[in-house]
Amino acid sequence: METREQSSLENTPNPNRMPRIKLLNISRLALASPLAYIIAFLLTFLIGGIVILALTGQNPITAYGSFFAYSFFSPYGILEVLAKSTPIIIAGAGMIIAFRCGLWNLGAEGQMAIGAIISTAIGVNLNLPAGVLLPLIFLASFIGGALWSGISGFLKTKFGVHEMLTTLMMNYVALKLLEYMISGPLSMPHPNYPRSSEILPQAQLPFLQYPLNVTFIIALVLVPIVWLLINRTSLGYRLQAVGFGHEAARLAGMNIAKLTLIVMLISGGISALGGTAEVVGDFMRMERNVTGGYGFTAIVVVMLAREEIIAMPFAALFISGMLVGASSLTLVGIPAAFSQILIGLLLLCVVFAGFIERWLKHRWEEKAKVVC
Amino acid sequence: MTLDLIVNLIFATLNILPIYLIASLGGFLSQRVGVYDISMEGNMTFAAVMGIIGFFMADSPWLGLLMGFLSGAFFGLILATLAVKFNLDQIVIGFGLWFLGLGLASFFYKLYVPFDQHTEGFPTLAQLVGYKGELTGFARFLELDIIFYLSIVLLIVVSVVIYRTRLGLQMRATGENPSAADAAGVNIFRIRYFTILVGAGLVGVAGAYLAVAFLQGFTSGMVAGRGWIAFSIIIFGRWKPSNIFWGCLLFAGINGLQVRLQTIGVTIPSDLLTMAPYIVTIIALIIIMSRTGRSRVPSALGIPYYRE
């Protein structure tokens, strides 16, 4: 991944020179990273503004004004941002576990679909009390998602097939399966368009305040749990060790194949809960767009957060703000797909920020040398 | 009857082949000079819309392909600038371009594509030679459009250029050992820029062809992972044009089978049938990976090059 590769490429300061650098310069070096990020964000919105101006003829400043006013400063908009960020945070939490182990689990979208299918199948058909039904739905979805991404983990350990490609392909398989389910086995009687029946009332989680629902709290609880898993458990230390380098981890006596499999299982299981959350918290049934591309969006979120679990929810909220804000732009004739353009641009600009950061550090170190 | 069925199947297969072949040859070129083009899916999606827009500029499918090439080359320019000039992470750039492509595609679609967006395909070989009669049996191959034949020509051209010319030698050297090639006087940056631009342009052509000639219209999600499949074909083609051709034929065959099975009324739910290409991709990857052969992966693939 970017962060690791780049950190090895940075010019490490000569240790003999280190103590002589003034405190001021050291703190300035620490500023390079946030400064580069700020430049990246400005650049994103600048290019996005040019796109608005050039393609739709709208005034980008008023467009951005209503964009931010809606998504971050209107009560309903904020609730919508929080609601949309829920599946992204859950899927992102699952993906980060794999990414930290150096595994490219890009299958969150498909794992979410599997979670959605299983939750719907149970939620529609098993008439159990809520106290039994809801835990069962979450547990079954976790297991289903885990097995689904476990396939990719197994193929990786057994045959050496790269998990990036298999998880991506499994996305499409799962989405087709979902489409088959809503038009076939799980279809409601006489639907207007392909969708399942509503899940039983006791399986439906309440809204905190529409459109925000209880699953957002689940997402927030998940983040510290994943943080603890990565940073405070032996499994977490081992998966990070593998993430830093196979050879060292292998020499330390770790069973990389077994670890790969476990990590893929946990990662897929958690991501699948994103689909469950959409079914039991928001849609209350299954439709074609129940996964809403959030699993793909989570890829960007994880990359923006540089695989840091604590930073990830903030990245998710920001991206979700873009999705919600862009939907307000449709009123003035700017297609909602503008959010996707911004997300792509943001990722490109943040990569470019890596270059700016290196350049700034290099320049300031040169200056520090002259001062000493 | 059976012969008819087989001919139909082969015809349907070859009809789809150019999409995979042009896209994976384009991606192959980028990888041959050492740069991953992960953005193929997004590139194809945007090029599909641009292709349709191009078509309606003059009711010409050729203009559609040209627009596809240009939009693809634009993606290539971004990729080359960030990956070659600034040596940034190719994978993350690719994902950024993927999203950018999807976003730009629906953006342009909403703004510029007319409501009645039915396009027309390319002339068939039979039309070009002026044959008007009915074609039966294997003569039906004359009904394949001209792009099919051009994509085969492209395959030959790419193979010849890569393995038989000075430029190809420089391209391979750039992908295998850039510092040695640099020392031998090859302009690494120019070679990479040029090849990535052409490669990404070809990926765009594939997307435009898909929209203009094959599906004759744009629907969201129409590329449906074909870009990723083309990317996989390069990998299990072991970076060799001839293998890539067989890989493309395999996937075109599955697509063809899908179309044929539906028309002769085999009752498999269509959603389950459309899963086949993705599952076959995975199976093909397993088979290739478990066969221990000499890997032909360009040694410098994905590694940024710093001039000393």
Side-chain angles (χ1 to χ4, degrees), chain A residues 21-309:
Chain A
I21 298 179
K22 286 182 191 161
L23 241 170
L24 183 73
N25 288 325
I26 289 175
S27 63
R28 228 166 62 159
L29 283 181
L31 275 180
S33 176
L35 191 62
Y37 258 78
I38 291 169
I39 295 173
F41 279 87
L42 292 178
L43 204 58
T44 306
F45 286 101
L46 181 72
I47 301 172
I50 295 171
V51 170
I52 291 181
L53 186 66
L55 297 181
T56 67
Q58 302 277 346
N59 181 346
I61 294 169
T62 51
Y64 279 136
S66 68
F67 181 98
F68 285 110
Y70 181 66
S71 59
F72 292 117
F73 295 102
S74 78
Y76 187 80
I78 292 172
L79 288 173
E80 217 184 322
V81 169
L82 296 177
K84 274 212 159 81
S85 72
T86 306
I88 305 179
I89 293 176
I90 298 176
M95 282 172 65
I96 275 187
I97 296 173
F99 272 58
R100 288 301 285 267
C101 189
L103 292 166
W104 290 79
N105 177 8
L106 303 182
E109 183 80 10
Q111 289 142 21
M112 279 175 69
I114 295 298
I117 292 170
I118 292 176
S119 334
T120 312
I122 296 176
V124 169
N125 294 317
L126 284 187
N127 198 350
L128 296 167
V132 185
L133 185 57
L134 276 166
L136 181 68
I137 286 176
F138 276 89
L139 186 68
S141 304
F142 182 92
I143 293 171
L147 292 176
W148 191 259
S149 73
I151 297 172
S152 301
F154 172 74
L155 295 179
K156 165 95 175 180
T157 54
K158 179 81 181 171
F159 301 107
V161 184
H162 202 295
E163 73 284 354
M164 187 170 108
L165 290 172
T166 53
T167 50
L168 266 169
M169 291 301 146
M170 296 293 271
N171 280 335
Y172 293 103
V173 177
L175 290 175
K176 294 291 176 198
L177 189 65
L178 190 149
E179 281 181 23
Y180 167 68
M181 286 292 178
I182 50 175
S183 54
L186 285 176
S187 167
M188 72 182 287
H190 317 297
N192 300 326
Y193 54 92
R195 57 177 181 166
S196 78
S197 310
E198 202 169 80
I199 55 172
L200 296 165
Q202 65 266 36
Q204 302 182 2
L205 286 174
F207 284 96
L208 294 168
Q209 165 123 44
Y210 189 82
L212 185 64
N213 61 63
V214 174
T215 54
F216 182 68
I217 297 171
I218 298 175
L220 287 190
V221 172
L222 206 55
V223 171
I225 292 176
V226 170
W227 184 87
L228 286 172
L229 176 75
I230 293 175
N231 293 301
R232 289 289 181 273
T233 64
S234 116
L235 177 71
Y237 284 123
R238 278 183 289 154
L239 75 86
Q240 290 199 63
V242 173
F244 278 120
H246 277 214
E247 197 55 19
R250 199 178 55 76
L251 290 176
M254 293 179 189
N255 184 343
I256 293 179
K258 194 174 143 198
L259 199 64
T260 300
L261 208 53
I262 293 174
V263 166
M264 286 302 279
L265 286 173
I266 298 176
S267 169
I270 293 179
S271 293
L273 298 182
T276 308
E278 286 294 276
V279 170
V280 301
D282 193 16
F283 282 75
M284 311 305 177
R285 63 171 77 239
M286 194 159 64
E287 291 176 13
R288 178 170 289 208
N289 60 344
V290 73
T291 55
Y294 296 123
F296 290 126
T297 309
I299 299 173
V300 179
V301 166
V302 169
M303 286 177 174
L304 284 181
R306 295 199 171 170
E307 303 169 22
E308 287 299 334
I309 179 72

Side-chain angles (χ1 to χ4, degrees), chain A residues 6 9 348 351-356 358-359, chain B residues 77-89 93 189 193 304-306:
Chain A
Q6 239 123 62
L9 296 171
L348 292 175
V351 184
F352 187 64
F355 170 78
I356 301 173
R358 260 185 292 165
W359 183 78
Chain B
L77 184 66
I78 301 176
L79 174 65
T81 309
L82 292 175
V84 179
K85 186 169 167 58
F86 293 111
N87 281 323
L88 297 164
D89 192 299
I93 299 166
F189 296 97
Y193 260 91
Y305 175 63
Y306 290 91

Side-chain angles (χ1 to χ4, degrees), chain B residues 51-260:
Chain B
I52 289 183
I53 293 171
F55 176 88
F56 283 111
M57 282 176 176
D59 276 352
S60 154
W62 296 102
L63 200 58
L65 282 208
L66 179 68
M67 289 297 281
F69 183 85
L70 291 178
S71 73
F74 168 69
F75 270 59
L77 184 66
I78 301 176
L79 174 65
T81 309
L82 292 175
V84 179
K85 186 169 167 58
F86 293 111
N87 281 323
L88 297 164
D89 192 299
Q90 295 166 9
I91 308 284
V92 185
I93 299 166
F95 282 115
L97 285 174
W98 176 26
F99 276 85
L100 188 65
L102 296 183
L104 283 174
S106 9
F107 200 79
F108 274 68
Y109 176 66
K110 287 258 163 61
L111 290 179
Y112 298 119
V113 175
F115 184 69
D116 177 26
Q117 46 154 307
H118 186 77
T119 57
E120 274 161 32
F122 291 86
T124 65
L125 201 61
Q127 285 166 344
L128 282 182
V129 298
Y131 182 78
K132 293 268 162 45
E134 198 185 340
L135 294 163
T136 51
F138 285 99
R140 283 196 62 201
F141 293 135
L142 289 173
E143 275 180 23
L144 289 165
D145 72 14
I146 186 72
I147 299 299
F148 165 75
Y149 296 97
L150 288 179
S151 71
I152 301 293
V153 172
L154 179 74
L155 170 72
I156 296 164
V157 169
V158 167
S159 314
V160 169
V161 167
I162 293 280
Y163 293 108
R164 294 276 184 274
T165 66
R166 196 181 144 76
L167 176 68
L169 184 65
Q170 291 178 345
M171 281 153 94
R172 278 183 290 145
T174 305
E176 296 291 347
N177 192 341
S179 48
D182 198 4
V186 178
N187 188 336
I188 303 289
F189 296 97
R190 197 186 294 168
I191 289 271
R192 282 194 171 165
Y193 260 91
F194 168 76
T195 316
I196 293 169
L197 247 64
V198 173
L202 287 175
V203 176
V205 168
Y209 178 77
L210 172 68
V212 173
F214 187 70
L215 296 176
Q216 308 200 329
F218 182 86
T219 50
S220 74
M222 64 178 267
V223 178
R226 286 192 178 90
W228 290 111
I229 290 177
F231 183 80
S232 315
I233 290 175
I234 303 165
I235 290 175
F236 58 71
R238 303 321 256 161
W239 294 272
K240 258 186 82 177
S242 56
N243 291 347
I244 287 174
F245 172 75
W246 295 117
C248 293
L249 207 56
L250 172 70
F251 281 97
I254 294 159
N255 273 271
L257 200 63
Q258 228 166 278
V259 177
R260 281 302 126 197

